[in-house]
Amino acid sequence: MKKLIYTIVFIGSFFLGTAQQTPAGPQLEAISIDGATAHLGNGKVIENALIMFEGGKLTFVGSAMTKIARRGTVIKGDGKHVYPGFIAPNKSLGLVEVDAVRATNDQDEIGEMIPHVRSLIAYNAESQVVESMRPNGVLLGQITPKGGRISGTSSIVQFDAWNWEDAAIKVDDGIHMNWPTNFRKGRWWMGEPRGFLPNKEYAKQLEGVKHFFKNAAAYDNVGNSELNPAFAAMQGLFDGSKKLFINANDEKEIIDAITTAKENGIKDIVLVGGYHAYKVTDFLKKNNIPVLLQHTQSLPVFDDEDYDLPYKLPKLLTDAGILVALQNGDAANFQTRNLPFYAGQVVAQGLEKEKALQLITGNSAKILGIDDAYGTLEIGKSATLIISKGDALDMKGNKLTHAFIDGRNISLETHQTELWKRYMGKYDGK
């Protein structure tokens, strides 16, 4: 018993002793960034740019040669690059701190069909993992529940806040579901052959989803004595106030998922994963379906596929006219900080660098429905941006000097940077 108590006290003191940096206060003075190269997030670049913002909003984005008075604090941007803050969709950031410590894992609730479970109220704004996103320029995220068939409802937050109320920028934006797989991996421990086997339960699972959709569409709480929370949460999918994010990868899964959702009156659908989406691009274009692709740094799933298929998928879909953004998929939360480098990797596959940038800025904002305020550097939008010494899509160049969320100059210090400085001093003296 004493050992258990000591362990709990140690874990608690560890987290308390390494708390997140204090969130920045509101922007009180205008800021002008003069002379940097501005990457707007919509495919455009302004060399020798002038960017000014006040009250958390961009007030000028244009050439530094424009005869206009610089306002407030002036940041010299010579040789530097300015980008919109990067956006991380479909992640359980702030819901899991340490995978091996069950008490810090709040990403999955009990049940298969639980659209009414809201991730936002469980979001930990003081997460060290969330804090570690900022030095690489990842400033916004869609906090997404995991597990089950219908996992729950996500919300979109900014990564510098006191609590989840302060963090939220779009509440209950979408419902996330995992479509039944047409194939599954063989369970070798049960004597099944290794590799992929047909999922004999697929038809039954598909019928279960259709039944739930139909009941949710028919649900009307008027006159009912008891509220059905799951069906009530689904109503936003039918009136267009929420998006349905469907995780599906195989061609049949993709077609079945989108067709079933459309037939049941669901208006706004986003495909998540989409590993074989390049095989059904005409279908996706016809139904106006955007795709949140898995990150690029992964191996092909099947032996007969191109070795570089995961690397070039974003370009294949972009060239086909599909709206594409990148998400970190099933990789660990902490790896989300590598989001800009996943985008940079697509450049090596032939995609223009500014289009690659859109995969984590402008395109992400459009898919998540926050492009009215975030994702690009345009007058009137939120001053959520970063300043880097070099190319932010390259590990060598991604060295931030400043980061702003809604005009607030946020800290770039984390537990990792503190350790880096501590041990750099130790070994530099050797």
Side-chain angles (χ1 to χ4, degrees):
M1 185 67 183
K2 287 184 178 180
K3 183 177 181 181
L4 175 61
I5 293 173
Y6 292 151
T7 301
I8 294 172
V9 170
F10 172 77
I11 293 173
S13 63
F14 172 79
F15 287 117
L16 289 173
T18 54
Q20 189 186 41
Q21 300 296 320
T22 302
Q27 182 184 7
L28 301 177
E29 183 184 17
I31 295 176
S32 301
I33 306 171
D34 195 1
T37 298
H39 305 263
L40 305 188
N42 57 8
K44 298 179 181 178
V45 179
I46 301 176
E47 304 285 350
N48 190 22
L50 173 62
I51 296 175
M52 296 193 292
F53 49 97
E54 193 168 356
K57 300 291 184 181
L58 292 164
T59 57
F60 184 85
V61 178
S63 172
M65 302 302 291
T66 305
K67 293 184 178 179
I68 184 173
R70 278 56 172 163
R71 292 181 55 80
T73 300
V74 177
I75 299 174
K76 293 297 183 182
D78 300 32
K80 297 177 182 177
H81 298 259
V82 180
Y83 300 85
F86 304 143
I87 304 170
N90 189 44
K91 292 305 300 180
S92 55
L93 289 162
L95 303 182
V96 183
E97 196 67 10
V98 181
D99 290 337
V101 180
R102 181 64 184 88
T104 72
N105 189 331
D106 205 14
Q107 67 178 335
D108 187 8
E109 296 291 339
I110 297 173
E112 281 292 296
M113 303 289 193
I114 49 174
H116 53 295
V117 169
R118 303 172 65 225
S119 65
L120 182 61
I121 58 175
Y123 175 70
N124 175 19
E126 294 192 350
S127 164
Q128 288 184 40
V129 181
V130 170
E131 181 184 68
S132 71
M133 300 296 112
R134 303 190 313 225
N136 280 7
V138 181
L139 305 184
L140 306 172
Q142 182 192 43
I143 308 307
T144 305
K146 304 293 181 180
R149 182 66 64 215
I150 297 182
S151 308
T153 300
S154 63
S155 290
I156 302 169
V157 303
Q158 51 86 6
F159 292 155
D160 184 65
W162 289 101
N163 49 48
W164 63 263
E165 292 97 332
D166 293 339
I169 61 174
K170 187 171 185 179
V171 175
D172 298 341
D173 70 295
I175 291 175
H176 294 253
M177 76 172 300
N178 300 300
W179 194 258
T181 55
N182 195 33
F183 287 86
R184 63 174 179 80
K185 289 185 177 180
R187 295 168 294 186
W188 57 268
W189 60 92
M190 295 181 65
E192 295 178 351
R194 294 178 184 269
F196 288 90
L197 302 173
N199 178 12
K200 295 179 181 179
E201 299 293 316
Y202 181 77
K204 180 180 178 181
Q205 293 167 349
L206 177 57
E207 283 305 311
V209 171
K210 289 180 178 180
H211 184 70
F212 185 84
F213 279 174
K214 288 179 181 178
N215 284 343
Y219 174 75
D220 185 354
N221 191 47
V222 177
N224 289 348
S225 59
E226 293 185 8
L227 173 72
N228 185 312
F231 290 162
M234 291 285 286
Q235 299 313 300
L237 298 179
F238 306 117
D239 63 23
S241 61
K242 292 180 182 177
K243 297 175 185 281
L244 178 62
F245 294 83
I246 306 179
N247 289 266
N249 288 291
D250 177 77
E251 304 107 290
K252 178 174 174 55
E253 296 166 16
I254 293 170
I255 293 172
D256 284 351
I258 293 168
T259 301
T260 301
K262 289 278 188 179
E263 287 176 349
N264 285 277
I266 295 175
K267 301 178 181 297
D268 210 338
I269 303 167
V270 177
L271 176 62
V272 180
Y275 184 71
H276 282 159
Y278 72 99
K279 297 182 178 181
V280 290
T281 53
D282 290 341
F283 174 79
L284 295 174
K285 288 175 66 176
K286 179 182 177 181
N287 288 279
N288 193 30
I289 306 296
V291 182
L292 289 176
L293 274 178
Q294 173 73 285
H295 66 85
T296 54
Q297 294 178 8
S298 56
L299 296 173
V301 174
F302 298 101
D303 293 340
D304 59 348
E305 291 176 332
D306 292 349
Y307 74 92
D308 59 351
L309 179 58
Y311 307 154
K312 64 186 181 183
L313 267 177
K315 185 178 188 305
L316 292 176
L317 294 186
T318 299
D319 289 348
I322 307 295
L323 179 62
V324 180
L326 289 180
Q327 49 98 21
N328 203 34
D330 294 331
N333 275 337
F334 71 86
Q335 293 180 355
T336 308
R337 72 187 71 164
N338 293 325
L339 194 63
F341 312 136
Y342 300 148
Q345 190 171 28
V346 185
V347 178
Q349 305 303 313
L351 193 67
E352 295 176 14
K353 182 165 288 188
E354 298 310 313
K355 286 188 176 181
L357 174 64
Q358 288 179 263
L359 299 177
I360 56 173
T361 55
N363 288 7
S364 301
K366 287 180 183 177
I367 292 173
L368 298 183
I370 57 171
D371 54 310
D372 59 331
Y374 299 93
T376 57
L377 301 179
E378 299 178 65
I379 294 174
K381 288 193 175 185
S382 168
T384 298
L385 53 90
I386 61 173
I387 305 175
S388 176
K389 290 183 178 180
D391 181 357
L393 303 190
D394 187 297
M395 288 186 182
K396 292 182 178 180
N398 187 304
K399 297 179 180 178
L400 270 58
T401 60
H402 298 79
F404 300 89
I405 295 179
D406 297 328
R408 298 179 296 111
N409 190 358
I410 68 171
S411 170
L412 293 174
E413 291 296 323
T414 71
H415 182 54
Q416 286 82 1
T417 60
E418 289 172 359
L419 289 174
W420 167 61
K421 291 176 181 178
R422 175 184 175 186
Y423 286 101
M424 181 179 67
K426 171 181 173 62
Y427 292 108
D428 275 357
K430 296 289 185 179

